[in-house]
Each structure stands twice: as structure tokens, then as C-alpha cells.
Amino acid sequence: MLEIHAAEAPITEDDAFIAEALESASIPTLMMALIHITGDPGLLDGPIRPGPAAMGGTQGGLPEEERAQVRAHALEVLKAFRDGGCRLPPPPSHETIIRMMSFMVGEEVPDEYLPMMLEEMALDGDHRDVHWDDVPAEARKSLRVLVIGAGMSGLLAAIRLEEAGIPYVVVEKDDHVGGTWYENSYPGCRVDVPNHFYAYSFEPNHEWSEYYSQRDELVAYFEHCATKYGVRPHIRFNTEVTRASWDEDRGRWSVQVRPADGDEETLEFSAVISGCGLLNRPKYPDIPGLDDFEGPCFHSARWRHDVPLDGKRVAVIGTGASAFQLVPEIAKITEHTVVFQRSPGWMGPNPLYHERVPDGKKWLLEKVPFYARWYRFLLFWPASDALLRSFKIDPDWPHPERSVGPLNEERRVQMTEYIASQVGDDPELLEKVVPKYPPFVKRILQDNGSWLGALRRPDVDLQTSGIERVTAKSVIAGDGSEYPVDAIVLATGFHANRFLYPMDIVGRDGVVLSEKWGDDPRAYLGITAPGFPNLFLLYGPGTNLAHAGSIIFHSECQVRYILGCLKALLREGRRVIECRDEVNEAFNERRAEAVSQLVLSHGGTTSWYKNSRGEVTVTSPWRLVDYWSWTRRPDLSDFELR
Ligand code: NAP
């Protein structure tokens, strides 16, 4: 018999407590945990079988009667487990785990996904961790790495560098960790990916208070990680990287940093990892008269907490994900809100979006062995590659302006019905909020009714005639209506296509990154680019996820790959690693071809996925499983090592 998994605390609670907690169990998840606890895979051959996870939520579509049966069985198992000293039998065999996966999600999990999912679930520990005991400490110390940004991905890079024993410095322009979650503090800001997998795979949090946590809790999570993994002392806060230039002779990056309260300094690094993301530089609209407005006017990502909006008349420009979250909140307190919509977004129903996690569920996550790991899998799987099928353009599809194929049309019908179920009695509003373009051209918005509920309020107007101009005290719409307002909120998005903007990055032979790329960034795997040796990007070109997964998953893939590149340098006794031009070009041609076959490239509307020529540059067309396998380790033939 093995001791209980170290991450889980022993069960000490009484029978009544356990029975109560089981009421909030996800039954498919519970069944998997029971197999671990009893060592008996018999449930896999039993009569109670979850349906497809995508359809049945976290309950596998099981009827209440069957759920009650599983709970009753679980109560007996957990009591015996507790009374027996919380000792676990040997873990299920690999073959059993594979059967468990398909059983749990009610569909066959193809073989090619198994290694990725096993790793993501970390059933027997963190397999993405980095221990370089095979590289002498002296060699490791010869590297000095700069990480730009202490947001989700920069912290992740720092955590792995720390594990690998490589000297590093994190330079962060803000006074805090958290990146986008720190900077975006607008009312209602929350994650819209399920939080129990929007967390590092190696640092699950069983205490999320909501299924989709709000901004403060996310910042606290990243703060916790920075401290727990020893990264904090390496962060230089309030310091901005302004310029980095490559010195080929010395094989180093020379980096200028500007502390908020000091003089610019030049630092030297053997490699640079950018964790500054692509949604961190606000985009301000070019609207006639905007500068003449006399009241407060601010971007959603630069929220003015010193400007109370209670009882005020407010204009919100934009209806993307940020507006979608903030409008319902401010509408509760303003005297009047007018929302300027240029194009509506598709939205999908998500009843858990604002719900709190019951205490019983937190207990199950924390105390029931392997429950949290399988819960992650249950959330991950339906948010994996299956959705990509709805993105595929069918060249023979008869009405490509409204959808691009049968599955895409199906989504359109579902979401239209969902919208109509809320505003069907208001044909004028319905006409304004149902997009004309196909689903998935832009990001799908998570909804629990709060957006359309806000738009239906008598003190909220939705303006769709555009903005003619702004005056000192009002916004004048395209149809000539004038809206006197006290404040303007610009929920107008970010410079997503300008990577590393506004930093000045000068590569080999004096090539300036912003000039080379313009708004057509091209990096191999979104991570590394010819002409810019020893420079690595996290959340780089073509790695935004629109069809599946969480950016944390992608960042974990990228960080592993980057650490693999650094290790290759040390192993080969080289100082410089640079992606080959032909490899990058071929990859980007494949990427462009793949994108052209997906709805992302549809011309029916704007999106921040596209550059000024309408080309999709930031979003990934790849299946998660492909990207995962391509980034497991670098293929050194893709690089020149010097
Ligand atoms: P966004 O999706 O780029 O939306 C910007 C909005 O402003 C769009 O409605 C756009 O209209 C409008 N707009 C831009 N310029 C305009 C102009 N000159 N006049 C009128 N309207 C204008 O930006 P976002 O809402 O900040 O979201 C960006 C991304 O951040 C999201 O897609 C998501 O990836 C991330 N985000 C995530 C969360 C979350 O997870 N909870 C929350 C917020 C943001 P058009 O649509 O017509 O271009």
C-alpha cells in the first residue's frame, strides 16, 4: 500500500460532512476518484455511464437517480478510506487510466491525445518541471536570462528558470505581479475560461471562490505563485524595458531599462524571454473631437478608480469582452449608460459564469484523492480540439456570409436561439444584437444573461449608428442623436498585432523588429524568429487560442520549448541559437494556409485577430495536440547554433 499523495490532506471530517460535500460532486469526476481510492476499476464496466462531456456539463448528463447511487457508494468508500488511515492502493495501470479517460468524457479519447492529457493532469506529479542535474551548475550559471513581464507567462518562465538553476531577472513595468490581471481592474473583470484549469498545471487552486474568478482573486493567485516558487526576489518592479539590441560578437543582448524613479540603465543578458503578451497596450480610437471632451475619458485597461460613476451619465465605446463585463456592472450605478456598438459579438450560454463554488466542492477538490486532477481533465477535454471542426470553411457551403459549414451553422442557430430567448420580445434590440457574420470570426463571449439584461434596462441605450464626433460635453452618434455624458469609457481593445510594442528590439545586423514585422509578425511556433537570436516569445504571433484550451496551457508548452533551447546551448557548448529563415518561412506559409481554411479569416467583420490587411496574425489555427507535440522539445535542425 502507498501513502496518500502528498498534495492531498487526509480526510478527518465526519460522515454527515462528507455526505453533504458529496451533494456538490461532479459525478464523472467522483467515479474516477473512487477508482483510485478503491483500486477497483469495476465502475468502468457498470451500468452508470456518463454521456459526452461537451453536452452533459460536469455531470455527464446523468439522471439524478444515478447520481444519487454514485454518491451513496462514494460515501461508503470515503468513510472506509478515512477509517483505514487514508491509505491508497497502488495507482491504476496505464491501460486503466486510458479507459478511465474515455469513460469519463463519454467519447473515445484518441490515442494521440493520451500523452498530452496524462501530462496535463499530472496524476503522478509535474512532468513539465525542469531539473537540469545533468548540466553542471557552472554551465547553468554561465547563462543570464531576462524575462520581460511578471504576468502569467513571465512568472511561469521565471518559475522554470528558478527550477533549472539558471540566473535570471524579471523586469516588470508595473508595481505588482499579475500582468493583464493586474492592469485590468474595471468593474466586473473576471476570467472567462474555467478557473479550475485556468491555473498552472503544477499549482492547482482548490479554493477558487467562483468558477470564473474575478480579477482580485487572479492577481492573488499569481502573487502566491511568485512567492511560493521563489521568483519574487528576482523581480524588478516599476521598471520598463525600452530597448534591446543584439551584440553578435559577444553573443548577448544589451538591454536598456528605465526605472520609474531613476536613470536608464543598460544590462546584459545571454537570452531574453518576452512575457509581455499581446493585450497589454491599450488602443485608443481615433474619433473626431475626443480630445476636446472635458470630462474623464479613460480606457477599460486604465480604469480610473478616482472617478466615481454613481449617478453619472456614461458613454462606453466598444462591445468586446471588456465592455461585455463592465457594462452590466456600471449600469447598476450610473444614471444613464449609452453603449456604442460597431459590431455585435456572438455569445454562448454559461450558467456558471458568475456562480460561486460551493464549499462542498472545494472540500472534494482538496481532500478526495485525484478528484481535482480528473476535474481538470473533465474541463479540459470539451475545451480541447473538438471545437475546431466548427471553424472549418466548407468551400461548397451555400451561404458563406452567415456561416461557413454545417457545424458552424449549428452553432449559429444555437446562439441565435439563445439570444432570442432573452430579447425575442424586443425585435429592434434583437436585430441589433444578433451578428450578421458567422460565429468564431471574433472571440465568443461567455454569457449568463447579464449583457442583454443590462441592454434592456430603461437607463441603458445601445447605439449602433456609429460615432460622428465627441464634443466638450457629449457624444454625437452617427444618426445625429446627442448624448450629454459626464464620462467616456473606451473599451476599444489593444494593439494586439504590434508585438513587443513599444519596445525597440534590434536584432542581428541592426534589423529592427518593429520594421521587419510591421503588423505581420512571423515567428516559428510563435516563439522564435530568424535575425533575433536568443530571443524567445511567450504568447507570440499565431499562438492566441480561439477554438480551445487556455493560454496557460500554451504558455506551458512554450516555456518548456524555450528551456529546451537554452539547455541545447549548454549541452552543445554554444552561445547563440537562431531559428533558420527557411524553417520560419515554411512554418508561416503552413500557418497562413491553415488559417485560410478557418472561419477566423472570414472577411465579414473586424477582429483583433487580424492585422490592417485583414490577415489573421495572432491566432492559432492548430490543434492543441499538434502544438503540444511540436513544442515538447526543440528540433535542433531547425536552428543554427553558434
Ligand atoms: P476587443 O475585443 O478588441 O474589443 C474592442 C471593441 O471596441 C470592439 O467592440 C470594437 O468594435 C470596438 N472599437 C474599437 N475601435 C473602435 C472605434 N474607433 N469606434 C467604435 N468602436 C470601436 O477588446 P476587449 O474587449 O478589450 O477584449 C480584447 C481581448 O482581451 C478579448 O477578446 C479577450 O481575449 C481578452 N479579454 C478577456 C477577458 C476575460 O477573459 N474575461 C476579458 C476582457 C478581455 P468592432 O468589434 O467592430 O471592431
Side-chain angles (χ1 to χ4, degrees):
M1 298 284 265
L2 302 175
E3 284 304 314
I4 188 167
H5 191 274
E8 281 127 14
I11 293 176
T12 51
E13 291 74 8
D14 65 23
D15 298 359
F17 182 99
I18 298 172
E20 171 75 24
L22 286 170
E23 289 299 315
S24 41
S26 148
I27 298 303
T29 312
L30 188 60
M31 293 172 88
M32 299 304 100
L34 293 177
I35 293 173
H36 281 273
I37 297 168
T38 59
D40 177 3
L43 284 174
L44 301 180
D45 301 313
I48 301 179
R49 308 189 71 79
M55 319 285 282
T58 55
Q59 295 298 0
L62 294 169
E64 175 48 31
E65 194 191 326
E66 292 186 350
R67 288 194 237 167
Q69 280 180 41
V70 176
R71 284 196 297 267
H73 172 56
L75 180 61
E76 295 314 310
V77 170
L78 291 178
K79 278 160 43 180
F81 178 65
R82 176 198 60 199
D83 298 342
C86 296
R87 298 172 77 80
L88 284 167
S93 67
H94 196 78
E95 289 67 34
T96 303
I97 298 269
I98 289 167
R99 285 181 62 209
M100 288 163 77
M101 285 184 178
S102 295
F103 175 88
M104 185 196 201
V105 295
E107 62 179 297
E108 198 196 331
V109 174
D111 284 352
E112 64 174 330
Y113 282 88
L114 297 172
M116 176 178 95
M117 292 317 314
L118 283 169
E119 185 190 280
E120 176 68 19
M121 291 165 75
L123 285 178
D124 56 352
D126 178 10
H127 288 288
R128 293 181 187 147
D129 61 350
V130 187
H131 292 291
W132 286 6
D133 303 333
D134 51 339
V135 179
E138 212 175 285
R140 283 181 264 154
K141 299 281 179 237
S142 70
L143 290 177
R144 184 162 186 257
V145 178
L146 167 68
V147 178
I148 308 176
M152 177 280 288
S153 59
L155 284 178
L156 175 67
I159 289 168
R160 296 312 195 190
L161 289 166
E162 178 77 29
E163 272 174 7
I166 296 176
Y168 65 96
V169 177
V170 183
V171 171
E172 167 55 59
K173 68 180 174 356
D174 292 327
D175 59 0
H176 213 279
V177 305
T180 195
W181 293 116
Y182 179 64
E183 292 190 358
N184 283 272
S185 62
Y186 58 78
C189 181
R190 67 170 74 227
V191 66
D192 62 6
V193 172
N195 236 155
H196 294 95
F197 94 96
Y198 186 84
Y200 300 131
S201 60
F202 55 89
E203 187 59 26
N205 177 14
H206 308 318
E207 292 296 323
W208 294 118
S209 62
E210 296 174 88
Y211 292 98
Y212 298 84
S213 297
Q214 300 191 46
R215 174 262 184 195
D216 287 355
E217 203 167 341
L218 292 157
V219 174
Y221 171 79
F222 291 113
E223 181 75 43
H224 156 81
C225 293
T227 305
K228 175 172 173 181
Y229 290 93
V231 164
R232 216 169 204 299
H234 300 259
I235 307 176
R236 282 186 64 172
F237 289 104
N238 294 309
T239 303
E240 191 163 348
V241 173
T242 56
R243 181 183 162 88
S245 50
W246 174 250
D247 183 334
E248 177 70 24
D249 294 338
R250 308 188 60 225
R252 293 176 93 75
W253 282 96
S254 169
V255 180
Q256 266 157 281
V257 299
R258 186 171 55 211
D261 55 358
D263 296 331
E264 206 153 71
E265 276 175 70
T266 301
L267 308 172
E268 280 211 342
F269 295 95
S270 36
V272 174
I273 301 175
S274 163
C276 61
L278 48 80
L279 298 171
N280 71 337
R281 296 288 173 174
K283 196 169 177 181
Y284 292 89
D286 188 12
I287 297 172
L290 194 58
D291 292 342
D292 301 333
F293 184 67
E294 287 176 354
C297 172
F298 50 89
H299 193 275
S300 54
R302 298 286 179 271
W303 197 260
R304 290 271 306 270
H305 292 278
D306 61 328
V307 176
L309 297 180
D310 318 53
K312 297 285 194 301
R313 298 160 304 171
V314 179
V316 177
I317 300 176
T319 53
S322 300
F324 213 75
Q325 293 184 332
L326 72 89
V327 167
E329 290 306 308
I330 66 167
K332 291 175 189 164
I333 57 165
T334 55
E335 180 193 305
H336 184 264
T337 299
V338 54
V339 180
F340 287 88
Q341 171 186 284
R342 205 161 57 177
S343 44
W346 283 108
M347 65 187 89
N350 185 342
L352 290 180
Y353 192 29
H354 289 183
E355 292 304 308
R356 294 186 68 75
V357 181
D359 287 345
K361 183 160 265 175
K362 290 184 199 164
W363 182 84
L364 294 166
L365 288 161
E366 191 202 340
K367 290 283 188 91
V368 174
F370 298 99
Y371 183 96
R373 293 283 141 197
W374 284 95
Y375 190 57
R376 187 174 177 103
F377 175 64
L378 185 63
L379 296 173
F380 192 106
W381 182 253
S384 188
D385 293 327
L387 201 57
L388 203 54
R389 294 196 288 266
S390 311
F391 281 51
K392 287 262 188 282
I393 296 175
D394 175 348
D396 301 321
W397 190 244
H399 35 73
E401 68 294 338
R402 54 171 278 133
S403 54
V404 295
L407 288 175
N408 189 260
E409 173 67 19
E410 212 174 277
R411 298 279 172 172
R412 180 184 184 101
V413 170
Q414 285 163 357
M415 288 192 274
T416 305
E417 281 171 3
Y418 173 64
I419 295 170
S421 72
Q422 297 176 73
V423 295
D425 58 348
D426 184 344
E428 202 183 322
L429 182 57
L430 184 65
E431 171 66 17
K432 287 178 177 178
V433 295
V434 174
K436 306 271 186 283
Y437 60 87
F440 302 112
V441 184
K442 284 187 208 284
R443 194 161 186 268
I444 298 289
L445 301 162
Q446 300 291 316
D447 186 57
N448 62 345
S450 56
W451 173 251
L452 294 172
L455 297 187
R456 288 182 74 116
R457 290 174 67 110
D459 51 4
V460 174
D461 279 345
L462 179 65
Q463 244 300 342
T464 56
S465 68
I467 302 172
E468 189 194 299
R469 68 196 153 91
V470 175
T471 70
K473 295 189 186 307
S474 65
V475 183
I476 299 177
D479 63 5
S481 322
E482 180 161 6
Y483 293 88
V485 291
D486 303 304
I488 298 177
V489 174
L490 306 171
T492 45
F494 301 87
H495 286 286
N497 277 280
R498 297 174 75 175
F499 283 86
L500 300 167
Y501 170 79
M503 286 178 275
D504 198 10
I505 309 290
V506 184
R508 187 167 48 74
D509 303 328
V511 176
V512 178
L513 185 109
S514 58
E515 288 170 9
K516 182 169 183 191
W517 279 4
D519 66 357
D520 184 19
R522 286 167 166 258
Y524 178 50
L525 298 168
I527 301 175
T528 167
F532 300 91
N534 297 16
L535 171 69
F536 303 99
L537 309 181
L538 298 170
Y539 203 5
T543 65
N544 176 60
L545 286 171
H547 65 279
S550 124
I551 289 299
I552 295 187
F553 170 79
H554 248 194
S555 294
E556 290 192 4
C557 292
Q558 291 150 11
V559 166
R560 169 160 60 188
Y561 184 86
I562 293 167
L563 270 282
C565 290
L566 295 178
K567 190 170 192 178
L569 279 182
L570 298 181
R571 277 220 170 126
E572 306 284 319
R574 310 294 175 92
R575 282 200 302 179
V576 182
I577 182 164
E578 182 177 347
C579 176
R580 293 181 188 280
D581 206 23
E582 65 275 16
V583 170
N584 185 43
E585 282 310 308
F587 174 79
N588 277 286
E589 270 169 37
R590 286 202 305 280
R591 204 190 75 77
E593 172 62 20
V595 162
S596 73
Q597 294 171 16
L598 301 180
V599 68
L600 298 167
S601 61
H602 193 278
T605 188
T606 54
S607 93
W608 61 264
Y609 303 160
K610 294 175 182 162
N611 66 11
S612 56
R613 291 174 301 289
E615 298 153 350
V616 176
T617 48
V618 302
T619 297
S620 169
W622 311 119
R623 299 185 312 160
L624 295 182
V625 70
D626 291 330
Y627 193 75
W628 175 83
S629 75
W630 298 336
T631 53
R632 278 181 95 176
R633 61 186 65 85
D635 176 349
L636 294 189
S637 66
D638 292 339
F639 294 92
E640 191 185 317
L641 276 79
R642 301 192 283 275

